[in-house]
Amino acid sequence: MRIDVTTVRKLVSDQFPEWACLPVREVESDGTVNAIFRIGDGLTARFPLIRGAENPTPAEVLQIRQGLHREMYASRRLLGRTRFRTPVPVAIGEAGAGFPLPWTVQTWLPGTVATAADPGSSVAFATDLVDLITAMRAVETEGATFSGPGRGGVLADHDGWMRTCFDASEGLLPVPLLRGLWEAMRELPRGGDPDVMTHGDLMPGNLLVAGGRLTGVLDVGGFRPADPALDLLGAWHLLEPGPRAVLRAGLACDDAEWERGRAWAFEQSMGLVWYYERTNPVMAGIGRRTLDRIMADAAVTSPGSGSSTR
């Protein structure tokens, strides 16, 4: 799906006349889920990019609207619970001329995403991540537990997806080595650690940084209960070995939790390279870098071995 500034300006003017006089401009982003536009200086409109939804059924529109309401609820639950800025949900827009799905408006957070200013070598950034994850875990789950598809439950439930990824990655990645890693990872027990509140997608594009420090957190609509190891995927997406060790020590991770966190990062990264190789080189590059870090940590590769994912 595609949407342009003219369409966004018309949707905003028709549905939110109080913002009709504000300029609208598209935000360049390496994200894959939403097209993002700024409304004036303080607001952001996010339009879901759903393949094949150019002519959605009423049931599909309702499903997407319900999903957006869940995202707004999750965003409100996290708001103000950490020392880092998060977007404030403002409104839900409806389908209109040029765009057939509901969409959302939230506050704009200024800053630089971690894909553009890599904080991977910053110990201070690692300590910021400790504070963020600790604060999110402190939010009550209200009796809820992980449910539904996606990451955060049992690793072995993702076997089918991983087979797809391995088959599609032939010629791009050292698949035999990676299959061997997954065979060990999928056996990791979930253990008895209770679910905690997690962001679920601590990737470079969802974190704002300045001077090697964390300043804001984006894409918080997935804030929900899950395996406490889920947010440890950020250790592999974001950090080099030294700061990564600081994160582990700061969160007092035992071996079981740490290994599951590495496995969640592996599961996500295996899908990034082949899927985005031709359409989103930044996302594919994140996947490659994370897999390199995981293989190095597992002592699967060594300098000059020729097994790098690059």
Side-chain angles (χ1 to χ4, degrees):
M1 294 183 64
R2 298 186 182 279
I3 184 170
D4 57 27
V5 168
T6 300
T7 300
V8 174
R9 188 176 292 117
K10 182 70 164 56
L11 290 168
V12 170
S13 178
D14 288 347
Q15 299 183 35
F16 302 102
E18 66 271 29
W19 303 330
C21 62
L22 299 178
V24 173
R25 54 197 185 278
E26 187 169 6
V27 177
E28 292 187 8
S29 170
D30 299 309
T32 60
V33 179
N34 295 282
I36 302 172
F37 294 79
R38 291 188 66 178
I39 304 172
D41 293 328
L43 298 173
T44 305
R46 292 160 55 89
F47 294 85
L49 300 178
I50 309 297
R51 179 179 292 181
E54 287 81 1
N55 295 294
T57 66
E60 289 171 331
V61 172
L62 176 61
Q63 182 179 23
I64 291 171
R65 183 183 296 107
Q66 290 172 337
L68 296 180
H69 278 287
R70 287 193 296 270
E71 290 180 1
M72 293 186 74
Y73 172 74
S75 300
R76 292 191 181 101
R77 289 200 66 196
L78 182 59
L79 187 64
R81 301 303 295 269
T82 81
R83 65 182 178 86
F84 306 100
R85 296 174 301 164
T86 60
V88 180
V90 177
I92 291 182
E94 296 298 332
F99 193 77
L101 301 174
W103 46 283
T104 60
V105 180
Q106 61 186 32
T107 56
W108 166 261
L109 294 188
T112 302
V113 293
T115 49
D118 183 9
S121 298
S122 171
V123 169
F125 179 76
T127 61
D128 289 339
L129 284 180
V130 171
D131 290 349
L132 172 66
I133 294 171
T134 300
M136 290 192 296
R137 289 177 173 181
V139 178
E140 289 293 330
T141 63
E142 299 179 347
T145 58
F146 177 83
S147 62
R151 292 173 294 276
V154 177
L155 285 159
D157 290 347
H158 297 262
D159 279 343
W161 169 243
M162 295 304 285
R163 284 193 294 271
T164 297
C165 291
F166 292 134
D167 291 345
S169 297
E170 295 286 355
L172 295 173
L173 300 171
V175 170
L177 291 173
L178 296 169
R179 285 185 191 272
L181 277 178
W182 179 247
E183 285 304 309
M185 290 175 174
R186 68 175 302 282
E187 298 292 338
L188 293 171
R190 171 61 180 82
D193 298 334
D195 288 352
V196 297
M197 297 300 291
T198 65
H199 179 281
D201 197 18
L202 291 182
M203 296 185 67
N206 290 332
L207 298 177
L208 297 174
V209 297
R213 302 299 300 264
L214 177 64
T215 62
V217 185
L218 304 175
D219 201 13
V220 298
F223 185 59
R224 63 173 177 166
D227 178 359
L230 181 58
D231 278 341
L232 297 181
L233 60 78
W236 308 93
H237 285 318
L238 292 155
L239 299 174
E240 298 298 336
R244 194 184 308 140
V246 170
L247 175 71
R248 178 175 183 176
L251 293 173
C253 298
D254 61 22
D255 289 346
E257 182 182 353
W258 189 248
E259 290 176 8
R260 290 200 314 277
R262 182 175 63 179
W264 288 124
F266 183 90
E267 186 272 350
Q268 185 176 43
S269 297
M270 279 302 309
L272 296 180
V273 179
W274 69 269
Y275 194 86
Y276 293 115
E277 184 73 8
R278 297 188 178 184
T279 59
N280 193 323
V282 171
M283 291 293 287
I286 290 171
R288 288 178 180 274
R289 182 177 66 177
T290 299
L291 291 171
D292 277 340
R293 287 169 171 168
I294 291 171
M295 286 194 295
D297 184 75
V300 174
T301 62
S302 60
S305 69
S307 296
S308 170
T309 64
R310 291 190 179 87

